[in-house]
PDB file of all heavy atoms in Angstrom:
ATOM      1  N   ARG G 113      35.859 -18.811 -13.576  1.00 90.00           N
ATOM      2  CA  ARG G 113      34.641 -18.206 -14.139  1.00 90.00           C
ATOM      3  C   ARG G 113      34.242 -17.047 -13.231  1.00 90.00           C
ATOM      4  O   ARG G 113      34.318 -17.173 -12.011  1.00 90.00           O
ATOM      5  CB  ARG G 113      33.533 -19.264 -14.175  1.00 90.00           C
ATOM      6  CG  ARG G 113      32.182 -18.670 -14.533  1.00 90.00           C
ATOM      7  CD  ARG G 113      31.201 -19.648 -15.113  1.00 90.00           C
ATOM      8  NE  ARG G 113      31.075 -20.866 -14.362  1.00 90.00           N
ATOM      9  CZ  ARG G 113      30.684 -22.027 -14.906  1.00 90.00           C
ATOM     10  NH1 ARG G 113      30.404 -22.112 -16.189  1.00 90.00           N
ATOM     11  NH2 ARG G 113      30.573 -23.096 -14.175  1.00 90.00           N
ATOM     12  N   VAL G 114      33.853 -15.902 -13.810  1.00 92.00           N
ATOM     13  CA  VAL G 114      33.445 -14.775 -12.948  1.00 92.00           C
ATOM     14  C   VAL G 114      32.054 -14.254 -13.273  1.00 92.00           C
ATOM     15  O   VAL G 114      31.407 -13.658 -12.420  1.00 92.00           O
ATOM     16  CB  VAL G 114      34.427 -13.566 -13.029  1.00 92.00           C
ATOM     17  CG1 VAL G 114      35.662 -13.804 -12.230  1.00 92.00           C
ATOM     18  CG2 VAL G 114      34.707 -13.222 -14.452  1.00 92.00           C
ATOM     19  N   VAL G 115      31.595 -14.517 -14.502  1.00 93.00           N
ATOM     20  CA  VAL G 115      30.334 -13.882 -14.915  1.00 93.00           C
ATOM     21  C   VAL G 115      29.164 -14.316 -14.017  1.00 93.00           C
ATOM     22  O   VAL G 115      28.222 -13.558 -13.784  1.00 93.00           O
ATOM     23  CB  VAL G 115      30.080 -14.151 -16.421  1.00 93.00           C
ATOM     24  CG1 VAL G 115      29.415 -15.478 -16.673  1.00 93.00           C
ATOM     25  CG2 VAL G 115      29.277 -13.033 -17.033  1.00 93.00           C
ATOM     26  N   HIS G 116      29.294 -15.518 -13.432  1.00 94.00           N
ATOM     27  CA  HIS G 116      28.203 -16.018 -12.577  1.00 94.00           C
ATOM     28  C   HIS G 116      28.078 -15.212 -11.282  1.00 94.00           C
ATOM     29  O   HIS G 116      27.066 -15.290 -10.600  1.00 94.00           O
ATOM     30  CB  HIS G 116      28.441 -17.494 -12.235  1.00 94.00           C
ATOM     31  CG  HIS G 116      29.568 -17.701 -11.286  1.00 94.00           C
ATOM     32  ND1 HIS G 116      30.898 -17.535 -11.655  1.00 94.00           N
ATOM     33  CD2 HIS G 116      29.578 -18.002  -9.975  1.00 94.00           C
ATOM     34  CE1 HIS G 116      31.659 -17.745 -10.601  1.00 94.00           C
ATOM     35  NE2 HIS G 116      30.878 -18.041  -9.563  1.00 94.00           N
ATOM     36  N   LEU G 117      29.105 -14.408 -10.934  1.00 95.00           N
ATOM     37  CA  LEU G 117      29.020 -13.588  -9.712  1.00 95.00           C
ATOM     38  C   LEU G 117      27.868 -12.584  -9.799  1.00 95.00           C
ATOM     39  O   LEU G 117      27.332 -12.143  -8.799  1.00 95.00           O
ATOM     40  CB  LEU G 117      30.338 -12.834  -9.481  1.00 95.00           C
ATOM     41  CG  LEU G 117      31.568 -13.696  -9.206  1.00 95.00           C
ATOM     42  CD1 LEU G 117      32.799 -12.817  -9.047  1.00 95.00           C
ATOM     43  CD2 LEU G 117      31.360 -14.520  -7.935  1.00 95.00           C
ATOM     44  N   TYR G 118      27.502 -12.229 -11.052  1.00 95.00           N
ATOM     45  CA  TYR G 118      26.380 -11.296 -11.231  1.00 95.00           C
ATOM     46  C   TYR G 118      25.064 -11.894 -10.705  1.00 95.00           C
ATOM     47  O   TYR G 118      24.151 -11.164 -10.358  1.00 95.00           O
ATOM     48  CB  TYR G 118      26.216 -10.925 -12.709  1.00 95.00           C
ATOM     49  CG  TYR G 118      27.245  -9.922 -13.180  1.00 95.00           C
ATOM     50  CD1 TYR G 118      28.306 -10.313 -13.977  1.00 95.00           C
ATOM     51  CD2 TYR G 118      27.155  -8.586 -12.814  1.00 95.00           C
ATOM     52  CE1 TYR G 118      29.255  -9.397 -14.409  1.00 95.00           C
ATOM     53  CE2 TYR G 118      28.102  -7.657 -13.239  1.00 95.00           C
ATOM     54  CZ  TYR G 118      29.149  -8.070 -14.036  1.00 95.00           C
ATOM     55  OH  TYR G 118      30.075  -7.155 -14.445  1.00 95.00           O
ATOM     56  N   PHE G 119      24.969 -13.227 -10.687  1.00 96.00           N
ATOM     57  CA  PHE G 119      23.750 -13.841 -10.136  1.00 96.00           C
ATOM     58  C   PHE G 119      23.564 -13.409  -8.682  1.00 96.00           C
ATOM     59  O   PHE G 119      22.458 -13.104  -8.252  1.00 96.00           O
ATOM     60  CB  PHE G 119      23.825 -15.379 -10.202  1.00 96.00           C
ATOM     61  CG  PHE G 119      23.570 -15.941 -11.575  1.00 96.00           C
ATOM     62  CD1 PHE G 119      24.546 -16.677 -12.241  1.00 96.00           C
ATOM     63  CD2 PHE G 119      22.351 -15.760 -12.211  1.00 96.00           C
ATOM     64  CE1 PHE G 119      24.317 -17.212 -13.497  1.00 96.00           C
ATOM     65  CE2 PHE G 119      22.111 -16.290 -13.471  1.00 96.00           C
ATOM     66  CZ  PHE G 119      23.098 -17.022 -14.119  1.00 96.00           C
ATOM     67  N   LEU G 120      24.677 -13.364  -7.943  1.00 96.00           N
ATOM     68  CA  LEU G 120      24.612 -12.985  -6.529  1.00 96.00           C
ATOM     69  C   LEU G 120      24.239 -11.503  -6.396  1.00 96.00           C
ATOM     70  O   LEU G 120      23.329 -11.137  -5.647  1.00 96.00           O
ATOM     71  CB  LEU G 120      25.959 -13.252  -5.853  1.00 96.00           C
ATOM     72  CG  LEU G 120      26.012 -12.954  -4.361  1.00 96.00           C
ATOM     73  CD1 LEU G 120      25.088 -13.887  -3.599  1.00 96.00           C
ATOM     74  CD2 LEU G 120      27.434 -13.111  -3.823  1.00 96.00           C
ATOM     75  N   ALA G 121      24.939 -10.655  -7.187  1.00 94.00           N
ATOM     76  CA  ALA G 121      24.669  -9.211  -7.102  1.00 94.00           C
ATOM     77  C   ALA G 121      23.223  -8.917  -7.493  1.00 94.00           C
ATOM     78  O   ALA G 121      22.544  -8.102  -6.869  1.00 94.00           O
ATOM     79  CB  ALA G 121      25.631  -8.463  -8.009  1.00 94.00           C
ATOM     80  N   LEU G 122      22.730  -9.629  -8.544  1.00 95.00           N
ATOM     81  CA  LEU G 122      21.359  -9.367  -8.992  1.00 95.00           C
ATOM     82  C   LEU G 122      20.320  -9.895  -7.999  1.00 95.00           C
ATOM     83  O   LEU G 122      19.219  -9.357  -7.900  1.00 95.00           O
ATOM     84  CB  LEU G 122      21.131  -9.947 -10.387  1.00 95.00           C
ATOM     85  CG  LEU G 122      21.783  -9.097 -11.488  1.00 95.00           C
ATOM     86  CD1 LEU G 122      21.897  -9.865 -12.789  1.00 95.00           C
ATOM     87  CD2 LEU G 122      21.002  -7.810 -11.713  1.00 95.00           C
ATOM     88  N   ALA G 123      20.676 -10.944  -7.242  1.00 96.00           N
ATOM     89  CA  ALA G 123      19.754 -11.437  -6.200  1.00 96.00           C
ATOM     90  C   ALA G 123      19.549 -10.342  -5.157  1.00 96.00           C
ATOM     91  O   ALA G 123      18.431 -10.076  -4.712  1.00 96.00           O
ATOM     92  CB  ALA G 123      20.307 -12.706  -5.548  1.00 96.00           C
ATOM     93  N   PHE G 124      20.635  -9.659  -4.785  1.00 93.00           N
ATOM     94  CA  PHE G 124      20.536  -8.550  -3.826  1.00 93.00           C
ATOM     95  C   PHE G 124      19.728  -7.390  -4.424  1.00 93.00           C
ATOM     96  O   PHE G 124      18.919  -6.776  -3.756  1.00 93.00           O
ATOM     97  CB  PHE G 124      21.937  -8.060  -3.433  1.00 93.00           C
ATOM     98  CG  PHE G 124      22.541  -8.869  -2.323  1.00 93.00           C
ATOM     99  CD1 PHE G 124      23.176 -10.072  -2.593  1.00 93.00           C
ATOM    100  CD2 PHE G 124      22.470  -8.443  -1.009  1.00 93.00           C
ATOM    101  CE1 PHE G 124      23.732 -10.825  -1.574  1.00 93.00           C
ATOM    102  CE2 PHE G 124      23.017  -9.195   0.013  1.00 93.00           C
ATOM    103  CZ  PHE G 124      23.649 -10.393  -0.260  1.00 93.00           C
TER     104      PHE G 124
END
Side-chain angles (χ1 to χ4, degrees):
R113 171 157 49 206
V114 282
V115 84
H116 71 288
L117 296 178
Y118 283 105
F119 283 118
L120 182 65
L122 284 164
F124 276 83

